[in-house]
Amino acid sequence: MGDVRLVVVAGTTETAAIDGISAAGADPELRVHTPSADLEIVEAGRPAPGSPVPVSPSGCPTPAVVTRAVRELLGSESLPVEFLDAGLGAPTAATVRDLGTSPGGDVRDPEPVPEAAAVFERARELAPELAGSGDEGGSDSGGSEAAELLVAETIPGGTTTALGALTALGERAAVSSSLPANPIERKRRVVAEGLDASGLDPGDAAGDPIEAVRLAGDPVLAAVAGLIVGCADAEVDVTLAGGTQLAAAAALARHAGVDRPLPLATTSLVAGDPTADLPALAADLDLTLSAADPGFAESDHPAMAAYARGEAKEGVGMGGALALADRAGVADAAVRERIAAVTDRLLAERAGTEGSGDAGVNGPAPSNGGDLR
């Protein structure tokens, strides 16, 4: 396996507080901690003391568990990580690079991401450094050999803001959900309300990705799109590790003029979601789609059973991490065993914090009215 670096872009948006849009926490105050805790899990294997544990009482853990499990199997030196703060709403103990932006506003606001242009540009400029290319001019400029970047996201409510950006661009208006029953019509109503407030019709932002994010997206989308463009400028290989949210970021990059090949590594759970129609969206955007399936249904562990039901289908680089494990020749059974071990560690952490009266589970048991991401 060649040199690969995982870059997780993390942020929050007030969109996640809309009723029925996100169930990533017991209430909005807890929900804003989810991305911060996700980074801690990927980096250290557990949230920092005082951070809520993003595991639902149903037994469905955050997808960060899967990414962490793969890092443990491959060795952290084989999968180094970089975390970008694109509007975190709560502190994190993880080591982050701050893109200097605030959390995103409600997608129904006239301008939910006023700093979209600045975030996009900062991420674009940072891409060569993250890859270790040593020069923004690419391979002909004398810089050191660059690593492949595996770019991921964590932002509650992000499928709704992704839908907003896709609609503003005039692309296929479909996204997935972390729950078996995707509240897609609710999301479309929310996006329609937001476009109306922003004075946009579907497709009005075609060819203007910054405008699409500024008026209908979230700061994580701005940052991921900037990274994609920066990688293209520097001739750095990039794989998008995610589902419809990363596809939305790819759409933004396409509208910014990026025409190079873009792989999209997701899970079979997202690729097989008929409400998202990700294969068609990937074809629209000329993305090379791959879908990992580690055989969650073959395990009787509650975490794998929850994934197999269609909960937490993607996020925090889950699909990309599984693809890396497969590329490295790690057996699916070993992946499942390590996911179980990481989950059990988190459950023990939850039990300890509940017993001490500190922060506990970040989120109630999922219901069909929410969206964990």
Side-chain angles (χ1 to χ4, degrees), residues 135-193:
D135 194 294
E136 289 189 11
S139 59
D140 294 332
S141 302
S144 58
E145 185 175 352
E148 174 190 355
L149 292 188
L150 190 68
V151 179
E153 56 69 35
T154 171
I155 177 168
T159 54
T160 302
T161 45
L163 181 64
L166 287 168
T167 305
L169 292 171
E171 298 292 349
R172 189 179 299 267
V175 291
S176 188
S177 170
S178 291
L179 296 175
N182 184 1
I184 185 66
E185 293 305 323
R186 179 177 297 149
K187 295 176 185 180
R188 286 174 175 152
R189 290 193 296 271
V190 167
V191 166
E193 186 177 344

Side-chain angles (χ1 to χ4, degrees), residues 200-285:
L200 288 179
D201 287 325
D204 274 359
D208 193 345
I210 300 300
E211 192 77 347
V213 174
R214 185 175 72 86
L215 299 179
D218 64 60
V220 168
L221 283 173
V224 174
L227 287 175
I228 298 170
V229 173
C231 286
D233 291 344
E235 300 180 12
V236 169
D237 290 335
V238 59
T239 293
L240 307 179
T244 49
Q245 288 169 250
L246 270 294
L252 293 165
R254 292 297 192 216
H255 282 255
V258 173
D259 59 3
R260 71 195 309 240
L262 289 176
L264 179 67
T266 191
T267 66
S268 60
L269 300 167
V270 175
D273 179 359
T275 65
D277 202 8
L278 182 58
L281 179 59
D284 292 346
L285 300 171

